Amino acid sequence: MTEDRIRRHPILPITEKHSFAFYWRSEECLALEGETIAASLFANGVRIFGHHVKDGAPQGIFCANGQCAQCMVLVDGFPVKSCMELIRPGARVEPAEGLFPLPGAAGPASAPLPFREIEEIRVPVLIIGGGPAGLSAAIELGKLGIRTLLIDDKHRLGGKLVLQTHRFFGSMAAVYAGTRGIDIATILEREVRSLDPVEVWTQTPALAVFSDGKVGVLKEGRTYVLVSPEVLLTASGAREKNLAFPGNTLPGVYGAGAFQTLVNRDLVRAARRLFIVGGGNVGLIAGYHGLQAGISVAGLVEAMPECGGYKVHKDKLARFGVPIHTSHTIVSANGQEAVESVTIARIDDRFRIVPGTERSYACDTVLVAVGLDPVNEFHEKAMAFGLTAFVAGDAEEIAEASAAIFSGKIRGLEIARALGRNVGEISPEWYETAEILKSKPGGVITEQQPGVEEGVFPVLHCVQEIPCDPCTAVCPARLIEIDSSDIRKLPVFLSAREGKGCSGCEKCVAVCPGLAITLVDYRKDSEFPTVTIPYEFLEETIHPGDRAAVQDTEGNLLGNVEVQAVRAIKANDRTALIKVRAPAAYAKSIAGIRIQPAAESEPMEQYIERTTDDTIVCRCERVAAGAIRKLIREGARDVNQIKALTRASMGPCGAKTCTPLIRRLFREEGVPDNEVVEQSKRPLFLEVPLRVFAGLVAKEDDHAAK
Ligand code: FES
């Protein structure tokens, strides 16, 4: 079998791990300790995890976050979600083919089954979710000596922070701006674990919030425990939105977060060439992460005339050589058993495809990055049952992780107050900062370049208001300023302060999270100044003496220039600085170096038309849009009715994946939201064998009893 692991990465440390054998079908494969089954399968080149019982459609990973059920496999005969379960030595993993046999009972029917009492515990605070918001709240509570139980369904704390190789935006003073997400996760986890009042249970999903105020959790994936908290904080993050298009369930179509999980957390090469749908921050950053991992990015489509994510993220991708197709949509993902290409087309101002503009691009992966929905079911239930409940981070409102860190901090103090602790007034400035960190990117101005062509100075290719300030904090002469009342304002370079000018220390170039600052130095040669450019790719991809294709902010090619030096010093924390010698005519316009050759993103000669119009809306039950649309046209307004007649939303994901798509079909048919009756929510938020609630004692490695 091929081995698809990432062995070198410009940012992520690759540590030696103990390896062992497991079996996929009867074939022996190699796994690394501590990785999920899905990661082991991907690392061994397996992309198809089974076939659907209804129509034999191939199934593969979709969310990699425990939210859907597409990655189901059989391990030693028992069905498990491969993205959530860790691989074990010698495990026999089989594809989940059609209607696989149900696992047998844990013991002979005649023998008495070993049951135990369900443990019940009381805690002042239960936090669901160990991501940026949950960890920050736990730190505040722990520092105040308040006993807190923090649970997370993953085997690692940090939530989405552990996927982020880039430096964070936001405020340096408030939320670690300028530090990489992966490092923020380590800082927060270390602090939480150092606080005695905080107890942490990983691999512990919350299953349900009950009307008696108890929360059912599956401790370490095996023991059912009822937790009675005085206060519940839901910080369970977000799930990715789905999109309906022909071919949307082919293995190889998955959420951008799933891709980041496989690449940045599990260090597997999840794709050879990918195409991204959606120009928000998640899609743009996933493209950057792909390039860093040595994966080609054939392009990105965004239906709106402009990308919704930060312009600095979009500019980075464009400069590296990734075409951004705005006012375009995905027409289909194409292939028989897995993705082989994608077809896109231009759309008009009413989002209709413009005939004749279809193009196909070869790729093996399509990333769906069309937004996030809050995972807020626990909070909704808690409120409905009258618990003292708070919500923070993406579960409250979708925003950047920096905003989640800050909202967690605030909720921590609010909870302390709710428990009667005297924490004083929470400063109104904190609430203001929280709002600023949540703000959407502002308008774009035309880039202003310094008028001078002498000495040395930074060029700030930052032309959109976003909350971000690290460049101001690192300048030793304080020559970069942002309006102190609002870090969303654009940074301004002052040529001198108190008689001191720029010394060319390069700190601002290295720290900018958007890689949007260069330094132009005319001191040695005014006709061919030296330009210092930030670079976060493997060092061996660029050497002194190479010719580098340099581009402006928007990704337009300026010329090919000589690389003079590559500086990778510890103080710059894995951001290398590349010095090029460039003609004065465009030195100040240089914003970056092209990474990807144009051939990686050229369209195929002919576009591929996918014949099926049966776009799947409910992927668990394989229900197509046509069947649901027909019922809506016949007058159905109650989703429960649609559910009963088609089985849409009755699958193992608990309708988490298809509910937004069904809502969209109603809207497309002109039915206003207030006329639609929502389906009843399931009391449990996760699939779990009923024996868990009965307290059947699990033996070591006994999946049946789990
Ligand atoms: S997609 Fe899972 S129930 Fe519809």
Side-chain angles (χ1 to χ4, degrees):
M1 270 191 170
T2 53
E3 237 247 347
D4 276 340
R5 290 191 190 279
I6 295 168
R7 298 285 180 200
R8 303 256 301 118
H9 194 281
I11 307 296
L12 296 164
I14 316 276
T15 49
E16 268 309 306
K17 284 192 181 152
H18 170 64
S19 64
F20 51 77
F22 76 102
Y23 297 89
W24 168 246
R25 298 192 153 118
S26 51
E27 204 158 343
E28 188 174 305
C29 303
L30 213 60
L32 297 184
E33 190 158 42
E35 68 184 7
T36 61
I37 297 166
S40 303
L41 290 175
F42 259 75
N44 285 278
V46 178
R47 302 287 186 272
I48 299 169
F49 290 7
H51 291 85
H52 201 277
V53 60
K54 192 163 169 187
D55 56 3
Q59 305 285 290
I61 207 154
F62 177 67
C63 78
N65 193 24
Q67 297 289 313
C68 77
Q70 286 238 156
C71 66
M72 190 79 76
V73 290
L74 302 181
V75 178
D76 300 329
F78 297 97
V80 297
K81 282 186 185 178
S82 62
C83 74
M84 298 301 284
E85 188 99 359
L86 298 186
I87 188 82
R88 289 173 295 105
R92 298 206 165 259
V93 186
E94 298 283 339
E97 296 292 0
L99 206 54
F100 45 82
L102 282 175
S110 53
L113 294 171
F115 288 98
R116 62 173 175 81
E117 281 293 301
I118 301 295
E119 188 187 351
E120 294 201 24
I121 59 166
R122 301 188 70 82
V123 285
V125 184
L126 171 65
I127 300 177
I128 303 177
L135 288 171
S136 303
I139 290 169
E140 295 305 319
L141 291 160
K143 285 198 290 200
L144 289 165
I146 297 172
R147 208 156 60 77
T148 299
L149 174 61
L150 175 94
I151 61 166
D152 193 275
D153 57 356
K154 309 284 183 318
H155 57 287
R156 264 178 83 176
L157 290 181
K160 292 283 186 277
L161 288 173
V162 303
L163 313 180
Q164 308 302 348
T165 61
H166 61 280
R167 295 173 191 267
F168 264 45
F169 297 82
S171 148
M172 241 169 147
V175 287
Y176 310 96
T179 304
R180 299 183 193 282
I182 43 169
D183 299 328
I184 300 175
T186 308
I187 295 168
L188 296 179
E189 174 168 8
R190 215 174 271 154
E191 191 162 358
V192 161
R193 295 209 186 259
S194 73
L195 292 163
D196 283 341
V198 183
E199 188 175 353
V200 176
W201 294 353
T202 51
Q203 284 187 277
T204 302
L207 302 177
V209 175
F210 298 109
S211 56
D212 58 3
K214 292 176 186 167
V215 181
V217 310
L218 196 59
K219 186 179 179 186
E220 284 148 13
R222 38 193 312 123
T223 312
Y224 183 56
V225 179
L226 282 167
V227 183
S228 298
E230 281 174 57
V231 179
L232 174 68
L233 172 64
T234 302
S236 40
R239 68 174 66 94
E240 293 186 83
K241 284 188 183 163
N242 194 2
L243 197 62
F245 54 86
N248 63 339
T249 65
L250 277 174
V253 177
Y254 46 83
F259 173 76
Q260 289 172 311
T261 303
L262 288 164
V263 171
N264 289 349
R265 187 194 69 185
D266 302 334
L267 294 164
V268 294
R269 194 178 303 282
R272 294 269 169 243
R273 185 184 291 172
L274 56 93
F275 202 99
I276 302 164
V277 182
N281 276 343
V282 175
L284 295 168
I285 293 170
Y288 183 45
H289 290 166
L291 291 173
Q292 283 187 317
I295 294 166
S296 305
V297 185
L300 179 150
V301 273
E302 164 57 50
M304 302 305 285
E306 288 296 338
C307 286
Y310 287 177
K311 187 168 184 310
V312 282
H313 283 318
K314 185 212 119 189
D315 291 345
K316 258 193 305 190
L317 268 198
R319 287 199 299 269
F320 297 149
V322 176
I324 313 269
H325 307 273
T326 50
S327 298
H328 275 68
T329 190
I330 180 166
V331 177
S332 60
N334 317 306
Q336 286 305 315
E337 281 278 288
V339 173
E340 291 162 18
S341 67
V342 63
T343 302
I344 65 166
R346 178 176 292 284
I347 46 177
D348 64 17
D349 52 6
R350 292 176 61 196
F351 298 99
R352 291 170 309 198
I353 287 173
V354 179
T357 61
E358 296 89 348
R359 298 271 177 283
S360 292
Y361 294 83
C363 60
D364 61 4
T365 301
V366 175
L367 298 192
V368 180
V370 290
L372 301 167
D373 276 328
V375 177
N376 57 4
E377 292 90 344
F378 300 111
H379 182 65
E380 282 179 359
K381 276 277 179 239
M383 294 303 282
F385 294 146
L387 272 76
T388 307
F390 291 81
V391 60
D394 277 353
E396 179 185 21
E397 183 180 344
I398 303 297
E400 290 299 294
S402 47
I405 295 174
F406 210 72
S407 81
K409 250 167 115 127
I410 293 178
R411 286 313 157 263
L413 292 184
E414 288 174 346
I415 291 169
R417 207 163 47 184
L419 288 166
R421 292 301 181 95
N422 183 7
V423 289
E425 270 307 299
I426 301 168
S427 161
E429 269 179 34
W430 277 39
Y431 289 101
E432 265 169 50
T433 304
E435 284 309 309
I436 288 175
L437 292 172
K438 277 195 271 184
S439 47
K440 301 273 175 272
V444 173
I445 59 146
T446 315
E447 188 171 321
Q448 308 280 326
Q449 287 180 353
V452 288
E453 293 199 350
E454 60 180 19
V456 58
F457 51 82
V459 180
L460 312 176
H461 305 275
C462 175
V463 292
Q464 184 186 44
E465 291 189 351
I466 52 172
C468 186
D469 70 2
C471 55
T472 62
V474 296
C475 178
R478 291 184 294 116
L479 295 174
I480 302 180
E481 263 191 3
I482 293 179
D483 181 340
S484 59
S485 66
D486 189 347
I487 60 162
R488 285 169 296 194
K489 297 278 185 244
L490 288 174
V492 181
F493 172 66
L494 315 171
S495 51
R497 184 195 281 271
E498 292 159 11
K500 269 202 202 155
C502 174
S503 65
C505 73
E506 300 171 340
K507 287 189 175 155
C508 55
V509 183
V511 82
C512 174
L515 306 190
I517 302 182
T518 54
L519 194 81
V520 189
D521 190 346
Y522 295 84
R523 290 175 296 185
K524 281 199 187 130
D525 187 341
S526 59
E527 281 179 32
F528 281 90
T530 301
V531 184
T532 305
I533 304 164
Y535 190 82
E536 293 190 333
F537 294 93
L538 286 173
E539 261 176 68
E540 62 256 30
T541 55
I542 196 158
H543 306 95
D546 285 355
R547 304 291 294 176
V550 285
Q551 324 235 57
D552 69 8
T553 306
E554 303 286 336
N556 301 306
L557 183 67
L558 296 167
N560 287 293
V561 298
E562 188 193 327
V563 175
Q564 288 185 311
V566 176
R567 223 160 88 83
I569 58 168
K570 200 157 183 258
N572 289 342
D573 183 24
R574 293 158 282 177
T575 304
L577 299 181
I578 310 297
K579 288 177 185 291
V580 299
R581 190 169 170 267
Y586 61 73
K588 286 186 285 188
S589 300
I590 295 174
I593 294 172
R594 187 177 181 117
I595 303 297
Q596 182 171 267
E600 293 296 331
S601 51
E602 267 164 16
M604 295 158 77
E605 271 178 23
Q606 277 184 327
Y607 91 83
I608 294 166
E609 205 172 357
R610 217 183 139 86
T611 44
T612 173
D613 56 1
D614 297 338
T615 302
I616 295 294
V617 168
C618 176
R619 53 178 62 225
C620 291
E621 293 290 334
R622 308 265 327 148
V623 182
I628 300 172
R629 210 186 281 280
K630 183 168 168 280
L631 290 173
I632 297 173
R633 287 185 184 163
E634 285 169 5
R637 295 294 177 266
D638 186 339
V639 183
N640 292 299
Q641 224 179 340
I642 292 174
K643 187 170 158 181
L645 293 168
T646 66
R647 292 192 62 85
S649 83
M650 286 180 82
C653 86
K656 294 188 199 94
T657 323
C658 57
T659 296
L661 296 181
I662 296 174
R663 265 192 222 129
R664 199 170 126 183
L665 281 179
F666 273 107
R667 274 183 224 127
E668 280 175 18
E669 291 302 310
V671 181
D673 287 356
N674 60 5
E675 280 184 25
V676 180
V677 179
E678 292 286 334
Q679 77 266 50
S680 12
K681 289 246 164 66
R682 295 190 202 171
L684 297 178
F685 296 113
L686 203 68
E687 319 83 285
V688 65
L690 279 178
R691 63 185 72 218
V692 160
F693 298 103
L696 185 64
V697 176
K699 287 182 275 157
E700 236 0 83
D701 301 333
D702 182 356
H703 285 281
K706 273 173 139 190

